Amino acid sequence: MLNNKLYIKTWGCQMNEYDSSKIADIMKYKLNCQITKSVKDANILILNTCSVREKAQEKLFHQLGRWKILKKYNPEIIIGVGGCVASQEGKKILNRAYYVDIIFGPQTFHKLPQMIYKVRKFKKYLIDISFPKIEKFKFFPTTKTKNVSAFVSIIEGCSKYCTYCIVPYTRGKEISRPYKDIILEIQNLSTQGAKEIHLLGQNVNAYFYFDKKINKYYTFSKLLIKISKIKNIKRIRFTTSHPKNFTTELIETYKKLPKLVNFVHLPVQSGSDKILSLMKRRYNISEYIQIINKIKNIRPNIQIGSDFIVGFPGETKKDFENTISLILDLDLDMSFSFIYSPRPGTPASKMKDNISILEKKKRLYLLQYHIKEQTKKFSLKMLNTIQIILVEGISIQQNKYFGKTENNRIVFFTYKKNYIGKLVYIKILDTYIYSLYGKFISVCKN
């Protein structure tokens, strides 16, 4: 029997990281694969790609070129390309990388064991980049974890069709997982020691599931309430939310659910109504500000992170200044920001881009400077305060225990006893921009 050793390289968002972990689970369960961190030891090489950023295709072929050398010396190696670039490019990948054996999409990676079997038997490449409805979740083996914080995907795809975004074309339309399946997965994770659940989706708060058997529907808010009733789950996080789906019902859950952490990631992309309209974001700045203010009225200490695209076609200096003003006025915390890059096939790729790359870089630098200053300010405010930390493990680099605050800061501390999986009080003694250092005080009683 062939001794399968699997190496997975992942690019992209937390959804991709989650998908790669599930690929590993499926391959271990179906093919008895051993997961290796050394590409030279593996005979199955999987590249799980992301096409959100510019030059994703070139990055892909550079990596495949390195793997081509390995396959030259060992023709039995199977090379698979998955994720969004695979879904976007399909068979065209073979034009430049004829030695690739399998091309699969984000919704078909559960078919990998069968595809590998067929490639080995028939010595012919296979492509499946179709969009079966939530089919893959039925093939996942029972989730096993040793982690205190666990990711759970609740909704796939996107139906917003922002003009710059390739995701609806590579991951398909929004489809929500059955409500009961999500709850069963989280209950299972909680019995294995998970204390924090991080819900994932391209638009996680667009979750909506209608159970025909009992004629009942479940919104994202109702799902959060049900998860909060699972005894061993102490904290709930979610990424990424869309302003259009940040409903009054969802905002009100922050009154009811203390397990919902004091951090929200709510991408705005621009501070200009004109640019938001060109992006087809389906809200204006006034509506976005109203959402933030409503959340802060309920949770005054909550911190808000966001996403920004700099240099979108048609963005003037005034539009950019409006973005900076929004960051400062709303006191936005740590955020992701990028220079606009056209994705093939999207409406924005056909728009006239009259902003030089030098100007885009200047704007990005300035935006990131202000965000960094905001983040530094928030971290400094925590100096000498006592924070509740969910202890996640021991950092090899720091040789200290670590965990997160509710507002998404990593805290390092030393202590003789092992409190992994516990909520503890830590006094913050030193601060950096994205991390804090503290002293153990006591274990939380709740």
Side-chain angles (χ1 to χ4, degrees):
M1 185 176 178
L2 186 63
N3 186 18
N4 290 309
K5 290 189 176 182
L6 172 67
Y7 175 84
I8 306 177
K9 191 172 187 66
T10 309
W11 295 330
C13 64
Q14 288 168 322
M15 287 291 288
N16 266 31
E17 295 286 349
Y18 177 84
D19 286 351
S20 288
S21 71
K22 293 303 177 186
I23 289 171
D25 288 345
I26 289 169
M27 296 289 278
K28 282 190 282 188
Y29 180 70
K30 291 289 186 179
L31 294 183
N32 196 30
C33 269
Q34 177 186 338
I35 311 302
T36 177
K37 293 182 180 180
S38 171
V39 66
K40 293 180 180 179
D41 291 340
N43 56 3
I44 302 173
L45 309 179
I46 299 296
L47 184 55
N48 191 14
T49 63
C50 174
S51 61
V52 172
R53 301 264 55 86
E54 191 178 12
K55 298 181 180 177
Q57 292 91 335
E58 292 309 310
K59 187 178 179 183
L60 164 69
F61 291 117
H62 286 154
Q63 181 61 60
L64 290 177
R66 290 187 282 270
W67 286 2
K68 178 185 177 182
I69 298 169
L70 296 174
K71 187 156 184 167
K72 180 181 177 181
Y73 291 101
N74 182 6
E76 296 303 312
I77 285 176
I78 298 289
I79 297 179
V81 178
C84 291
V85 176
S87 185
Q88 178 185 320
E89 297 298 310
K91 193 174 181 179
K92 287 188 284 185
I93 290 171
L94 297 174
N95 294 338
R96 289 179 59 182
Y98 61 88
Y99 45 86
V100 168
D101 300 290
I102 296 171
I103 298 170
F104 62 95
Q107 307 302 345
T108 55
F109 64 72
H110 60 286
K111 298 181 182 181
L112 266 174
Q114 184 184 16
M115 294 174 84
I116 289 169
Y117 169 78
K118 288 181 177 179
V119 164
R120 282 176 172 161
K121 184 175 181 180
F122 300 109
K123 306 297 180 183
K124 187 179 179 181
Y125 70 82
L126 285 175
I127 300 174
D128 191 340
I129 52 174
S130 58
F131 297 104
K133 290 186 177 181
I134 301 294
E135 180 182 290
K136 66 182 182 183
F137 290 97
K138 296 176 184 178
F139 292 84
F140 288 178
T142 302
T143 306
K144 293 182 180 179
T145 186
K146 295 179 181 178
N147 297 326
V148 172
S149 182
F151 291 103
V152 175
S153 178
I154 67 167
I155 182 171
E156 288 282 326
C158 179
S159 300
K160 299 296 188 288
Y161 289 93
C162 298
T163 59
Y164 56 84
C165 187
I166 198 73
V167 168
Y169 309 98
T170 57
R171 282 189 173 264
K173 294 181 180 179
E174 291 167 357
I175 306 176
S176 297
R177 283 181 69 190
Y179 164 82
K180 287 184 179 178
D181 291 356
I182 296 168
I183 297 302
L184 283 172
E185 182 174 352
I186 295 173
Q187 286 173 337
N188 173 53
L189 288 166
S190 72
T191 62
Q192 297 180 61
K195 295 296 187 345
E196 176 182 88
I197 295 299
H198 196 141
L199 304 175
L200 297 177
Q202 264 72 38
N203 294 310
V204 69
N205 56 333
Y207 179 86
F208 184 91
Y209 182 75
F210 180 70
D211 192 331
K212 293 178 182 178
K213 292 181 180 178
I214 58 175
N215 196 32
K216 189 174 181 180
Y217 69 89
Y218 298 92
T219 61
F220 183 56
S221 302
K222 289 178 179 177
L223 178 65
L224 289 173
I225 290 168
K226 185 67 176 178
I227 293 169
S228 72
K229 292 177 181 178
I230 299 173
K231 185 179 178 182
N232 291 332
I233 300 303
K234 304 299 183 183
R235 285 182 176 176
I236 305 169
R237 300 181 188 271
F238 56 87
T239 311
T240 289
S241 50
H242 193 288
K244 196 66 182 174
N245 298 114
F246 224 99
T247 61
T248 300
E249 181 191 28
L250 176 54
I251 293 169
E252 289 295 314
T253 58
Y254 280 89
K255 282 182 184 176
K256 305 171 187 176
L257 304 183
K259 290 184 179 182
L260 266 180
V261 298
N262 262 351
F263 184 85
V264 173
H265 183 246
L266 188 58
V268 63
Q269 305 301 358
S270 173
S272 162
D273 283 340
K274 182 191 84 179
I275 298 301
L276 290 179
S277 178
L278 288 171
M279 289 178 169
K280 198 182 173 186
R281 287 292 289 174
R282 305 178 186 221
Y283 56 85
N284 58 39
I285 292 304
S286 176
E287 290 168 332
Y288 183 85
I289 292 172
Q290 284 179 34
I291 293 168
I292 301 302
N293 288 340
K294 285 178 182 178
I295 298 170
K296 287 185 174 181
N297 283 339
I298 293 171
R299 295 272 190 99
N301 295 323
I302 203 164
Q303 286 174 227
I304 313 293
S306 195
D307 288 353
F308 296 94
I309 295 174
V310 174
F312 190 81
E315 182 187 75
T316 63
K317 287 185 178 181
K318 179 61 178 173
D319 294 323
F320 177 70
E321 287 168 3
N322 288 341
T323 299
I324 298 299
S325 295
L326 184 73
I327 290 168
L328 300 177
D329 292 345
L330 290 181
D331 251 358
L332 295 180
D333 194 7
M334 55 181 77
S335 299
F336 298 105
S337 52
F338 309 94
I339 289 174
Y340 167 74
S341 57
R343 309 315 302 130
T346 59
S349 66
K350 299 173 185 176
M351 296 179 185
K352 186 178 180 181
D353 187 356
N354 57 352
I355 309 166
S356 71
I357 188 63
L358 181 62
E359 178 61 25
K360 288 178 182 180
K361 287 180 178 179
K362 285 180 180 178
R363 291 179 189 180
L364 181 65
Y365 174 82
L366 186 59
L367 184 144
Q368 290 181 339
Y369 168 79
H370 284 293
I371 288 289
K372 195 173 182 180
E373 288 300 303
Q374 298 276 87
T375 302
K376 192 188 300 183
K377 177 184 71 175
F378 284 124
S379 293
L380 197 57
K381 278 184 178 181
M382 298 172 74
L383 187 64
N384 294 321
T385 65
I386 294 176
Q387 299 290 325
I388 297 176
I389 309 301
L390 177 60
V391 186
E392 294 184 36
I394 298 175
S395 167
I396 297 173
Q397 292 83 3
Q398 299 281 346
N399 195 27
K400 297 176 187 293
Y401 286 105
F402 73 92
K404 286 194 189 80
T405 61
E406 283 209 17
N407 62 352
N408 217 31
R409 297 298 193 276
I410 294 177
V411 177
F412 297 98
F413 69 97
T414 55
Y415 200 66
K416 294 178 181 178
K417 289 186 179 180
N418 183 348
Y419 284 122
I420 293 174
K422 301 286 187 182
L423 289 168
V424 300
Y425 291 108
I426 301 289
K427 184 174 182 180
I428 306 303
L429 302 177
D430 201 2
T431 67
Y432 291 83
I433 298 175
Y434 304 108
S435 61
L436 312 170
Y437 290 79
K439 180 178 73 172
F440 177 87
I441 301 297
S442 64
V443 180
C444 297
K445 292 181 180 179
N446 60 332

